[in-house]
Amino acid sequence: MNARAVIGVSAQDIERELRAALQPTDLAVTDDSHLHAGHAGAREGRHFSVRITSARFTGLSRVARHRLVYDALHRLIPQGIHALAIQAQSPDESG
């Protein structure tokens, strides 16, 4: 992977894709890459945390929710996402 690909994905890119695919009622995407400086995977891409609330998650398992997030980001992952920490909930679970 080239250096341009590694720095090519931003939190805004992720937010745009998740909003389009999952119509969240709440969404926060944080670039945590600075916390992983020096980590071997840091050369392979950026680290992000995603907190998302969407009606699409209602009745789904944690694994199924994560699959929906990964499916929404399938175009961006090879462009420089190394790791995602995902907190996905339905609107009735948000507090």
Side-chain angles (χ1 to χ4, degrees):
M1 179 176 301
N2 64 44
R4 180 178 169 91
V6 170
I7 61 171
V9 178
S10 69
Q12 292 80 14
D13 295 329
I14 292 171
E15 184 174 331
R16 182 184 62 249
E17 295 295 319
L18 292 175
R19 286 194 186 284
L22 301 174
Q23 297 84 39
T25 56
D26 184 47
L27 177 62
V29 180
T30 306
D31 186 341
D32 297 325
S33 299
H34 65 284
L35 301 174
H36 301 276
H39 173 258
R43 291 187 301 272
E44 297 172 16
R46 305 188 69 77
H47 293 69
F48 295 94
S49 294
V50 173
R51 190 184 76 243
I52 183 169
T53 303
S54 173
R56 297 277 311 274
F57 299 140
T58 302
L60 297 180
S61 69
R62 180 178 176 205
V63 170
R65 293 171 185 199
H66 285 213
R67 280 189 192 130
L68 284 177
V69 170
Y70 280 105
D71 287 349
L73 299 176
H74 75 276
R75 289 185 319 103
L76 294 180
I77 290 171
Q79 295 179 29
I81 297 175
H82 176 70
L84 284 173
I86 302 168
Q87 179 187 354
Q89 59 189 14
S90 64
D92 60 316
E93 296 169 325
S94 63

